Amino acid sequence: MQRFLKGSKALKLSPMPVVIGVSATAARFNKLVGSTTSDLKHCVITANQVRSSGLLKDRIVITYPDDPEKNNDMAGPPAAVDEWKKKCAHWYQYSYEQHYAHVNPIFVIQVLAGRKGAHSDTNLDDVIAQIEERLGNRFQEYEVVHTFGSTAALEINGLPVHHVEPSDITSDKRIRVVLFKENLSTGWDCPRAETIDELQNAEGGDIPTVIDEESLEQPVYASWSVRPT
């Protein structure tokens, strides 16, 4: 990038006459172009503008069992499968009614990293078995894939689970479930726009944090609100 911006005599490259940079983390780019003789003009998009466009999440829902006996690795999949099935049905109906290309929601499951050579400390057989039991049918090959460091196919609950690159997930319509450990790389982790400095200083300082608590056994909403002083 430096060669394009600054030019390179060795490679007979002239500096680019016009460069437009777009980034949520522009510090390195600004530092680079700041050392050139180019005329630098900033167009700063505020967090409020990004939020109003819908690119910032205005609500995050986290569900977890309050009962310590149920608060384990296998407590979440059944409820998550029900939510996934509901979203699949809603998207199918919406796409059909609006005459859009079909949207195929993918069930993304984060599992523990493995120790002592294991692929994961999560019981992957149980995870897939619970999902299949909740769905009422068995997965076919290539419907469940993984993005673990190893590129080898794994056998999970009797099913061949192949490795796939995150960038290939969207284009493969066979994929229904993705198993991953740390993150799904660029384009799959959550947008980094939430961590720009503006959300930590004056502009974002008046944004209230509201926590909605609901018991799974006795579903009654109770909100905890935290506002900056």
Side-chain angles (χ1 to χ4, degrees), residues 46-53 56 203 207:
T46 67
N48 279 338
Q49 289 174 294
V50 179
R51 191 178 300 109
S52 64
S53 72
L56 281 180
E203 181 182 353
I207 300 176

Side-chain angles (χ1 to χ4, degrees), residues 13-179:
L13 288 176
S14 300
M16 288 290 98
V18 177
V19 175
I20 300 176
V22 181
S23 175
T25 52
R28 293 178 62 189
F29 177 81
N30 290 338
K31 182 179 179 180
L32 176 61
V33 297
S35 62
T36 68
T37 58
S38 301
D39 183 17
L40 182 60
K41 296 182 179 180
H42 294 283
C43 179
V44 179
I45 306 299
T46 67
N48 279 338
Q49 289 174 294
V50 179
R51 191 178 300 109
S52 64
S53 72
L55 291 178
L56 281 180
K57 294 183 288 293
D58 55 7
R59 186 169 186 234
I60 300 175
V61 180
I62 301 175
T63 304
Y64 65 95
D66 196 37
D67 188 340
E69 294 182 0
K70 300 177 183 178
N71 192 8
N72 56 64
D73 291 344
M74 295 299 113
V81 171
D82 292 343
E83 187 67 20
W84 175 47
K85 289 170 59 179
K86 187 187 304 182
K87 283 180 168 53
C88 288
H90 286 176
W91 274 110
Y92 178 85
Q93 184 69 21
Y94 179 81
S95 301
Y96 175 79
E97 292 177 353
Q98 300 298 324
H99 304 287
Y100 290 158
H102 179 55
V103 176
N104 184 30
I106 293 177
F107 192 10
V108 183
I109 304 173
Q110 185 176 22
V111 300
L112 296 172
R115 294 173 294 179
K116 299 180 180 179
H119 293 293
S120 173
D121 284 353
T122 301
N123 191 323
L124 302 180
D125 289 333
D126 280 358
V127 171
I128 298 303
Q130 283 203 32
I131 297 174
E132 290 181 332
E133 180 181 1
R134 202 72 171 188
L135 289 175
N137 55 58
R138 295 292 303 270
F139 286 116
Q140 301 298 316
E141 189 173 3
Y142 296 105
E143 287 186 334
V144 181
V145 298
H146 73 85
T147 64
F148 303 163
S150 170
T151 58
L154 308 176
E155 183 172 325
I156 302 177
N157 197 39
L159 176 72
V161 177
H162 297 271
H163 175 270
V164 64
E165 292 295 332
S167 57
D168 296 331
I169 293 175
T170 301
S171 59
D172 194 333
K173 302 305 181 184
R174 300 172 297 180
I175 297 175
R176 302 181 65 195
V177 176
V178 177
L179 302 174

